[in-house]
């Protein structure tokens, strides 16, 4: 199993996300609980408004029978009139006090008798109210008002909607969560941007320092090779030494280019991969078979040849390690009008799907030795060019892996 310096950081990220989700759930639950309580209170208010309307519509319901406790009928009548006046004033206040709950009072045929807190348009008012009634029916069950009119029971129906305050309360948690999520996303993007900028500084510093440190011993080796040429030394040995020195020069050049963003030049991918193939073929196990499937037409991209060769060599070395020095590696180049695709397929151990992205993280490695920077460098090189992508196209444990590189095609 691979290890990565980012694993512990990812666990803290998951814990943070879990806590955020729990806070969100608690907020929504609390807001919904308040909304339900407010909705119940509004229904009680609507019922009170309906009852007040009923009493106001049928004033006979306020009649009092004669009471022997009163000294005279005239006094009783005066008291009754005073009480009726007080109740009527109270009922009127209740009805007029509803300034927030939209209500429509209808008869049994759904003809509108009265309405409150609804802004009626100048045109098609009747159709507008009918539409409102249907919406109110779907939202809340109607309140039935039974009126006794001269011995006949007449029913009226009060339809109502949630008040503006309730609607705002219902919307508030979602608005609040949207703002919180937007803030989290912006913070996360800012953190990623800062992290990436810091990584770039580290890469640039490391690359320049590596190129600088290699410069002195390489110059010394070149001088020693030239000196040995003046002595009686086997030319075969000198030739091999020159190859290794040139290889060191190439490595130093690559590190210097990573740290300095070299200007990309038109590059034929077919030729570049063929050159890397020729180089790798003599430097890996003879039990590893390399094959190439070129595209029929030249595959031109804007890229630095030295860095792209490094990409191919890094992926090839990882594939050889995954196969433990035995198997096959196949390079396939395809292109269309816009992009060029390079697939590198090995017959190694394979990669678990959960690790498809992790393997490109700095520090990830499956080896007991190594820094785990190879694929991270590869990703950095490829994605530093417009439209460049690298990812695991597919992989199966015990059967092998295919890496895909996507590059923008150059048309000249």
């Amino acid at each position: 199993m691979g290890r990565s310096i980012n694993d512990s950081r990812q666990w803290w990220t998951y814990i943070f996300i879990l806590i955020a989700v729990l806070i969100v759930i608690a907020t929504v639950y609390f807001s919904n609980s308040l909304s339900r309580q407010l909705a119940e209170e509004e229904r009680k208010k609507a019922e009170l408004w309906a009852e007040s309307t009923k009493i106001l519509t049928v004033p006979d319901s306020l009649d009092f029978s004669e009471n022997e406790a009163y000294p005279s009928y005239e006094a009783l009548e005066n008291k009754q009139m005073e009480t009726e006046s007080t109740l009527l004033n109270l009922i009127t206040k209740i009805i007029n006090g509803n300034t927030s709950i939209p209500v429509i009072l209808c008869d049994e045929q759904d003809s509108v008798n009265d309405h409150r807190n609804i802004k009626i348009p100048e045109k098609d008012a009747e159709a507008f109210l009918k539409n409102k009634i249907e919406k109110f029916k779907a939202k809340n069950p109607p309140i039935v008002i039974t009126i006794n009119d001269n011995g006949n029971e007449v029913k009226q129906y009060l339809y109502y909607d949630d008040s503006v305050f309730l609607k705002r309360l219902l919307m508030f948690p979602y608005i609040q969560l949207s703002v919180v999520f937007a803030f989290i996303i912006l913070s996360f993007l800012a953190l990623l941007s800062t992290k990436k900028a810091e990584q770039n500084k580290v890469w640039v510093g490391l690359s320049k320092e590596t190129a600088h440190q290699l410069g002195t011993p390489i110059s010394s080796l070149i001088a020693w090779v030239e000196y040995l040429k003046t002595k009686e030394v086997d030319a075969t040995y000198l030739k091999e030494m020159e190859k290794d020195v040139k290889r060191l020069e190439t490595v130093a050049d690559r590190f210097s280019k990573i740290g300095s963003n070299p200007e990309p030049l038109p590059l034929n991918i077919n030729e570049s991969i063929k050159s890397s193939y020729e180089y790798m073929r003599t430097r890996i196990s003879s039990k590893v078979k390399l094959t190439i499937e070129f595209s029929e037409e030249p595959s031109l991209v804007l890229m630095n040849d030295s860095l792209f060769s490094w990409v191919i060599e890094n992926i090839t070395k990882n594939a050889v390690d995954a196969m433990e020095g035995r198997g096959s590696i196949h390079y396939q180049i395809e292109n269309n009008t816009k992009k060029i695709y390079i697939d590198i397929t090995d017959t190694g151990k394979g990669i678990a799907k959960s690790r498809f992205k992790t393997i490109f993280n700095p520090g990830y490695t499956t080896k007991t030795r190594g820094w785990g920077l190879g694929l991270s460098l590869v990703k950095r090189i490829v994605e530093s060019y417009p439209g460049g992508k690298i990812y695991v196209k597919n992989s199966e444990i015990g059967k092998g892996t295919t890496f895909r590189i996507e590059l923008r095609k150059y048309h000249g």
Side-chain angles (χ1 to χ4, degrees):
M1 180 178 291
R3 56 182 174 84
S4 173
I5 60 176
N6 293 313
D7 286 346
S8 59
R9 184 179 298 172
Q10 288 176 353
W11 275 110
W12 280 110
T13 302
Y14 296 147
I15 292 171
F16 174 77
I17 292 172
L18 178 61
I19 292 172
V21 169
L22 291 175
I23 292 172
V24 167
I25 293 172
T27 302
V28 172
Y29 175 80
F30 181 69
S31 298
N32 286 339
S33 177
L34 287 177
S35 300
R36 285 194 299 270
Q37 292 177 24
L38 183 57
E40 290 174 4
E41 289 297 321
E42 289 196 349
R43 183 168 181 85
K44 290 177 181 178
K45 288 180 181 179
E47 289 174 347
L48 179 60
W49 192 90
E51 188 64 25
S52 301
T53 303
K54 172 184 174 181
I55 295 171
L56 194 61
T57 305
V58 188
D60 289 345
S61 59
L62 296 174
D63 286 347
F64 289 85
S65 59
E66 294 184 22
N67 193 322
E68 295 297 332
Y70 290 99
S72 68
Y73 179 79
E74 184 179 354
L76 176 63
E77 190 176 31
N78 291 335
K79 187 67 175 178
Q80 180 179 343
M81 290 176 64
E82 182 181 342
T83 305
E84 286 181 4
S85 177
T86 302
L87 286 175
L88 285 172
N89 288 334
L90 176 61
I91 291 166
T92 303
K93 281 185 178 181
I94 292 173
I95 293 173
N96 294 331
N98 174 25
T99 59
S100 60
I101 304 175
V103 293
I104 302 176
L105 184 64
C106 300
D107 60 18
E108 294 181 86
Q109 287 74 41
D110 274 350
S111 296
V112 178
N113 293 335
D114 193 10
H115 59 79
R116 290 265 176 171
N117 305 318
I118 299 174
K119 190 175 181 180
I120 307 297
E122 294 181 1
K123 295 182 179 180
D124 300 324
E126 186 176 347
F128 175 81
L129 286 172
K130 289 290 183 184
N131 184 46
K132 281 289 183 182
I133 291 170
E134 294 302 320
K135 288 183 178 179
F136 289 4
K137 282 182 180 179
K139 192 73 176 289
N140 297 303
I143 298 171
V144 182
I145 305 171
T146 304
I147 299 173
N148 189 351
D149 186 11
N150 297 323
N152 297 321
E153 283 193 354
V154 177
K155 289 187 177 181
Q156 293 184 341
Y157 297 90
L158 182 72
Y159 302 103
Y160 70 99
D161 191 14
D162 296 334
S163 68
V164 175
F165 306 112
L166 180 56
K167 288 178 180 178
R168 287 176 181 173
L169 180 61
L170 289 170
M171 290 298 298
F172 176 72
Y174 300 101
I175 295 172
Q176 182 185 30
L177 294 177
S178 299
V179 172
V180 170
F181 278 128
F183 176 77
I184 291 173
I185 291 170
L186 289 174
S187 301
F188 184 69
L189 291 175
L191 181 63
L192 284 181
S193 178
T194 304
K195 180 182 174 184
K196 191 172 182 180
E198 289 177 353
Q199 287 180 346
N200 287 341
K201 288 181 181 179
V202 172
W203 284 123
V204 171
L206 177 63
S207 301
K208 287 183 176 180
E209 183 62 21
T210 302
H212 175 72
Q213 292 294 335
L214 287 173
T216 301
I218 289 173
S219 299
S220 178
L221 286 171
I222 292 172
W224 276 108
V225 169
E226 292 301 321
Y227 173 76
L228 290 173
K229 284 181 180 179
T230 64
K231 304 297 180 180
E232 295 180 1
V233 178
D234 191 332
T236 306
Y237 297 153
L238 287 174
K239 188 176 180 180
E240 290 301 317
M241 288 180 67
E242 282 187 316
K243 285 183 180 178
D244 288 336
V245 170
K246 285 183 179 179
R247 177 62 181 171
L248 286 172
E249 287 181 313
T250 301
V251 170
D253 180 63
R254 286 171 175 172
F255 274 110
S256 66
K257 284 182 170 61
I258 285 179
S260 60
N261 295 322
E263 182 180 353
L265 299 172
L267 173 67
N268 188 334
I269 292 296
N270 292 341
E271 296 298 326
S272 183
I273 291 181
K274 184 179 179 182
S275 175
S276 298
Y277 164 84
E278 294 293 342
Y279 173 79
M280 295 297 297
R281 188 174 59 176
T282 59
R283 286 165 175 78
I284 61 175
S285 171
S286 59
K287 296 178 182 179
V288 176
K289 181 182 179 182
L290 301 180
T291 56
I292 305 179
E293 186 179 341
F294 293 111
S295 61
E296 295 180 357
E297 56 183 288
S299 305
L300 294 177
V301 297
L302 276 177
M303 201 166 190
N304 182 271
D305 187 19
S306 178
L307 293 180
F308 182 72
S309 298
W310 198 3
V311 168
I312 300 301
E313 290 169 19
N314 245 315
I315 296 175
T316 302
K317 287 178 182 178
N318 274 286
V320 172
D321 291 338
M323 297 185 297
E324 297 180 347
R326 184 189 299 269
S328 64
I329 302 174
H330 181 66
Y331 307 87
Q332 183 176 356
I333 301 100
E334 298 178 0
N335 60 55
N336 56 30
T337 56
K338 294 183 178 180
K339 288 190 175 183
I340 293 175
Y341 304 97
I342 303 108
D343 289 348
I344 304 174
T345 305
D346 64 57
T347 56
K349 294 179 290 186
I351 303 169
K353 195 169 184 180
S354 60
R355 294 288 181 179
F356 278 13
K357 292 183 179 180
T358 310
I359 59 172
F360 293 103
N361 290 339
Y364 178 87
T365 179
T366 58
K367 306 171 190 175
T368 55
R369 293 183 300 171
W371 291 90
L373 298 177
L375 287 177
S376 179
L377 278 169
V378 164
K379 184 178 177 67
R380 174 181 168 79
I381 292 169
V382 172
E383 293 186 352
S384 65
Y385 293 93
K389 291 182 183 179
I390 181 168
Y391 52 89
V392 179
K393 183 182 177 183
N394 53 65
S395 184
E396 191 172 346
I397 300 297
K399 292 190 176 181
T401 301
T402 298
F403 282 89
R404 165 162 283 191
I405 301 171
E406 293 184 13
L407 299 171
R408 187 179 295 174
K409 192 170 184 180
Y410 175 68
H411 295 283

